[in-house]
Amino acid sequence: MKRSYLLIIAVVASAGLLIAVFSVLPRYSNPALAAPRKSEKPFEDLRSSDYAPLLQGAEIDCTVSHTTTDSLDNVNACAVGETVEFCAENRATTLSGYDGLALIAETNVGEDEDPKEVAVHEDWFRLDNAEIDASYTVEAIPDRTRNYNLGIIVYDLNHQKVVEDVDALDNDSEVTFEPENAGPYFIRVFQITEDCTGRTYHLNASKVQPTATPTSTPRPSSDADGYEPNDTFDEAMAEDPTLPIQVPILLELTFHTTEDIDYFRFYTKEGRWYQATTSDLNLVDTLVEIYDEDRTRVERDDDGAGGLGSRATWNADYDGYYYIVVQNNVDSRGSYNLTLDEISAPATATPGPSPTPGATPRGQADDCESNGDFRRACVVPVNETQSFNFVPVFGEGPDNDFYKVWVKPGLHFRCETSDLSPGVDPNMIVFNGPSWEESIGGNDDIAPCNYNSRFDYYATYAGWLYVLVGTGDRTPSDIQDSGYSFGCKKSTEPFKADSAPQPTATSDSAGKLPSPVPTATPTQAGSPIATPTPGPQALSIRTLATPTPPPTAAPRFVPIDLIVYYDANGDTQPGAGEGITGVSAQAYEVATGELLAQGYTDNQGQLSLTVSSQGAVRLAIPFLGFSHLIAADGEVEEARVQVRVPPHTIPGESS
């Protein structure tokens, strides 16, 4: 009996335990009313515009009911799911404007056929050689409202995203970007949503050039020259970069700002006369002032060199430095050349500003005197005619006038006289270096009955062209009234020769009557003068010997090693750091004047040339006025030339 009770109790306890367990388990609702699980549709939460690009991770089908073709035959199509790197490097085509593009393969759908579900791909384009700071705009626009819902992403050369338009609330897309490098840049066009009907879209691509920053008054820019900073007396005394001027001319000096003033220092010897001249002015109007070591102004000139150029002349009162200060009279930026010469004492020193070149008073030497040799040749500006005369500074004369004009390769130059006083008959000799051996030609009379002289020259080097204007043994009878005008013009085209003047019985500008020119008198019809009948003539034949042409000398090869140095330590030997860089040198055939080779010294001041010549060779450095003859005698194995620029002693120091 007890066993039965125990068994009943055990069964009841077990049942109670089961009821308790089932009472704590959750109850399930009707499946039809349950919320969907996120795992069932993982892309449902990605349909907003912020996450729309990620929809490309899944395939999208367009419901197509019309035949569709792509104008590029889908050469730039890339399947959805491919990596950015693969599509950019293997599928992208050149960015441009295109019509009739499609994001589906070519599809034929007949009028009676049911719509087709066609997979959508992506289109890829690339922009090569992008212009930095330009602005590029790309638009993708469906040809019909519901053809596509398009997005655009731009990637750089590292396949990193630059800019995008993935707004799903409009059907088209547009991006604008400014490249930071030349690229390439890759443009990806794709479908954002699942709602599309195929057909076509078009792509617009445009470029806007960088906009220059406007200025109130556009002015040409000029870079600072190699002597900057030299805007004060103290900066002019600095050793670097403004060394004391050692060469006769400084080229391409600049006013690199509208406030720039250039200060230079120049070593002089007591009792000698010096002249500072500006020329080849480009967009500037110079004013030159000379100051002594106490910074007291001793000379000033504005337009004494003609035109807007300046020429200041002064007499040194001591051995030491004077300052040359060059200012710009106008609010502009530009360039100029500065020439410094030692000259002979003028006949009469005129204090204050020099007058504007014009007619020289009767009996007074002209403004360029004394210019009786190469060393004192007067600098004349190009494209400007000035008045001079043959009045000698000292004695009876004759007065030889040397001039020099700066020439550049590839330009044509014409130098000529005009406006001759009565009895003046000049001639002209032209040199491409400061020596008699470097003459290249000359001219006496331009044409019969025109006593003026003219010479045309095509420049093959950059440097001074020297011109001697004189009268030889034809000294004017009235030397006190021996004026003439002289100038040189330049052109990129050859100068045309003037037609020869017809002889007349009137006097020319030189006051001389032309020689009568015989003319043939035509025979009138019916002339009583009988025409002589030639009689028989004996025919004679001579054998002429054909002259044997002189043998042509075989060309020889001449290696030339040049070094140009500033002898800072005065040991007369080129040392470390003393080489002068950028010095132009040319080698010429002496016999013909032909340019054989040219070049510039390197940062060690060295230049090596090898020329082929049949005779002597002349090595010239126009910038330094240097000329060296390499003889033609014997076999020249190698010519070694050293050009030393000596140092100057600073006042107060022992030499």
Side-chain angles (χ1 to χ4, degrees):
M1 193 65 179
K2 286 184 177 181
R3 288 184 179 177
S4 298
Y5 282 118
L6 291 174
L7 181 60
I8 292 171
I9 292 171
V11 171
V12 171
S14 298
L17 180 61
L18 290 174
I19 292 171
V21 171
F22 281 104
S23 66
V24 299
L25 292 177
R27 297 183 180 182
Y28 292 99
S29 302
N30 189 328
L33 301 178
R37 300 178 182 176
K38 293 185 180 294
S39 59
E40 293 177 359
K41 295 184 178 181
F43 291 98
E44 283 294 310
D45 291 337
L46 304 180
R47 289 191 179 276
S48 68
S49 62
D50 293 338
Y51 299 97
L54 297 180
L55 287 174
Q56 292 300 285
E59 294 183 358
I60 296 176
D61 292 336
C62 281
T63 304
V64 181
S65 58
H66 297 81
T67 298
T68 301
T69 58
D70 184 87
S71 61
L72 293 179
D73 294 329
N74 289 317
V75 296
N76 61 327
C78 195
V80 174
E82 291 285 0
T83 64
V84 171
E85 181 177 0
F86 174 83
C87 294
E89 300 296 341
N90 297 280
R91 295 290 185 264
T93 192
T94 302
L95 176 66
S96 183
Y98 295 104
D99 293 323
L101 300 176
L103 292 182
I104 61 175
E106 182 174 346
T107 304
N108 294 318
V109 180
E111 294 183 1
D112 298 331
E113 297 184 28
D114 295 332
K116 294 183 179 180
E117 297 295 321
V118 182
V120 176
H121 58 248
E122 304 170 350
D123 278 353
W124 284 80
F125 306 89
R126 64 183 291 153
L127 171 63
D128 293 295
N129 300 316
E131 183 175 352
I132 299 174
D133 294 333
S135 177
Y136 293 84
T137 299
V138 183
E139 297 178 281
I141 304 172
D143 292 330
R144 294 194 178 188
T145 303
R146 295 193 59 188
N147 285 8
Y148 301 100
N149 191 352
L150 297 173
I152 293 180
I153 301 179
V154 179
Y155 301 91
D156 62 17
L157 73 169
N158 297 317
H159 311 115
Q160 300 298 312
K161 183 166 60 178
V162 176
V163 65
E164 65 181 1
D165 179 1
V166 292
D167 187 357
L169 299 180
D170 56 6
N171 290 84
D172 56 6
S173 59
E174 176 182 339
V175 293
T176 299
F177 63 100
E178 295 182 358
E180 296 180 353
N181 51 59
Y185 287 84
F186 303 98
I187 296 88
R188 170 190 177 193
V189 179
F190 56 92
Q191 170 69 11
I192 294 177
T193 66
E194 294 181 352
D195 184 15
C196 61
T197 61
R199 291 197 180 182
T200 58
Y201 73 96
H202 60 276
L203 191 74
N204 297 331
S206 61
K207 170 187 174 183
V208 177
Q209 297 286 355
T211 302
T213 302
T215 58
S216 56
T217 305
R219 298 185 179 94
S221 61
S222 297
D223 295 331
D225 56 57
Y227 283 87
E228 293 291 346
N230 62 333
D231 302 326
T232 64
F233 287 104
D234 292 335
E235 288 177 340
M237 286 299 296
E239 289 293 336
D240 186 18
T242 312
L243 293 171
I245 297 175
Q246 306 289 345
V247 291
I249 181 170
L250 306 179
L251 299 177
E252 298 297 332
L253 300 172
T254 62
F255 295 116
H256 63 284
T257 68
T258 56
E259 296 80 22
D260 187 22
I261 300 177
D262 291 341
Y263 286 71
F264 304 93
R265 59 186 173 122
F266 182 63
Y267 192 81
T268 63
K269 300 292 288 184
E270 181 179 0
R272 298 185 184 181
W273 285 84
Y274 298 91
Q275 182 172 272
T277 306
T278 60
S279 60
D280 285 351
L281 276 58
N282 179 24
L283 303 176
V284 299
D285 176 8
T286 58
L287 171 68
V288 173
E289 296 179 327
I290 309 299
Y291 290 82
D292 62 18
E293 59 186 354
D294 296 326
R295 303 182 183 182
T296 300
R297 191 175 73 189
V298 298
E299 186 57 80
R300 180 181 186 273
D301 180 76
D302 188 359
D303 299 326
L308 303 179
S310 308
R311 178 181 295 133
T313 302
W314 78 101
N315 179 232
D317 292 333
Y318 55 85
D319 289 359
Y321 287 105
Y322 278 79
Y323 296 95
I324 299 94
V325 181
V326 186
Q327 304 179 46
N328 187 9
N329 285 329
V330 293
D331 186 20
S332 66
R333 290 177 287 180
S335 62
Y336 65 96
N337 294 342
L338 175 63
T339 305
L340 296 168
D341 290 309
E342 181 181 339
I343 63 174
S344 298
T348 55
T350 304
S354 301
T356 302
T360 303
R362 176 182 174 91
Q364 178 180 321
D366 59 60
D367 291 339
C368 269
E369 296 294 351
S370 237
N371 59 331
D373 54 36
F374 289 106
R375 185 174 62 86
R376 293 174 291 181
C378 181
V379 177
V380 292
V382 179
N383 295 334
E384 183 176 323
T385 300
Q386 300 184 41
S387 296
F388 305 102
N389 59 39
F390 291 114
V391 177
V393 179
F394 306 104
E396 297 292 330
D399 177 33
N400 288 324
D401 291 338
F402 282 80
Y403 304 97
K404 59 182 178 180
V405 59
W406 189 260
V407 299
K408 291 186 177 181
L411 295 179
H412 296 266
F413 293 83
R414 167 173 285 185
C415 297
E416 61 182 327
T417 64
S418 59
D419 302 327
L420 305 180
S421 294
V424 175
D425 182 5
N427 67 358
M428 180 185 299
I429 304 175
V430 182
F431 310 80
N432 58 9
S435 70
W436 293 99
E437 290 75 18
E438 296 179 87
S439 63
I440 56 177
N443 177 252
D444 186 4
D445 297 339
I446 293 178
C449 304
N450 187 343
Y451 298 154
N452 283 294
S453 302
R454 173 192 295 162
F455 191 86
D456 291 350
Y457 177 68
Y458 176 72
T460 58
Y461 66 96
W464 290 117
L465 180 72
Y466 291 81
V467 182
L468 167 60
V469 179
T471 60
D473 57 357
R474 300 172 299 196
T475 302
S477 57
D478 184 0
I479 197 66
Q480 303 303 316
D481 186 14
S482 56
Y484 67 95
S485 295
F486 173 74
C488 295
K489 298 181 289 187
K490 66 180 177 181
S491 173
T492 56
E493 301 292 335
F495 289 95
K496 295 182 179 179
D498 297 335
S499 58
Q502 295 297 322
T504 63
T506 59
S507 61
D508 69 353
S509 60
K512 296 183 180 181
L513 290 174
S515 301
V517 179
T519 57
T521 303
T523 303
Q524 303 294 327
S527 172
I529 300 176
T531 302
T533 302
Q537 299 290 329
L539 181 66
S540 63
I541 300 175
R542 289 188 306 176
T543 301
L544 297 178
T546 302
T548 303
T552 302
R556 61 184 186 134
F557 292 96
V558 181
I560 302 173
D561 285 336
L562 170 69
I563 181 169
V564 183
Y565 68 100
Y566 176 73
D567 191 13
N569 57 11
D571 63 353
T572 69
Q573 296 294 326
E578 293 183 341
I580 303 177
T581 184
V583 177
S584 174
Q586 296 92 33
Y588 294 89
E589 178 91 46
V590 172
T592 63
E594 178 186 0
L595 177 65
L596 302 177
Q598 62 181 337
Y600 295 87
T601 57
D602 59 18
N603 55 9
Q604 303 296 323
Q606 298 178 351
L607 173 64
S608 295
L609 301 171
T610 299
V611 299
S612 174
S613 170
Q614 294 181 341
V617 175
R618 179 173 56 84
L619 179 66
I621 304 178
F623 190 65
L624 299 176
F626 172 83
S627 179
H628 176 73
L629 184 66
I630 302 173
D633 299 334
E635 295 293 331
V636 177
E637 296 183 358
E638 185 176 18
R640 297 182 179 273
V641 181
Q642 291 186 356
V643 179
R644 173 180 177 264
V645 177
H648 284 300
T649 303
I650 300 177
E653 293 186 1
S654 58
S655 56

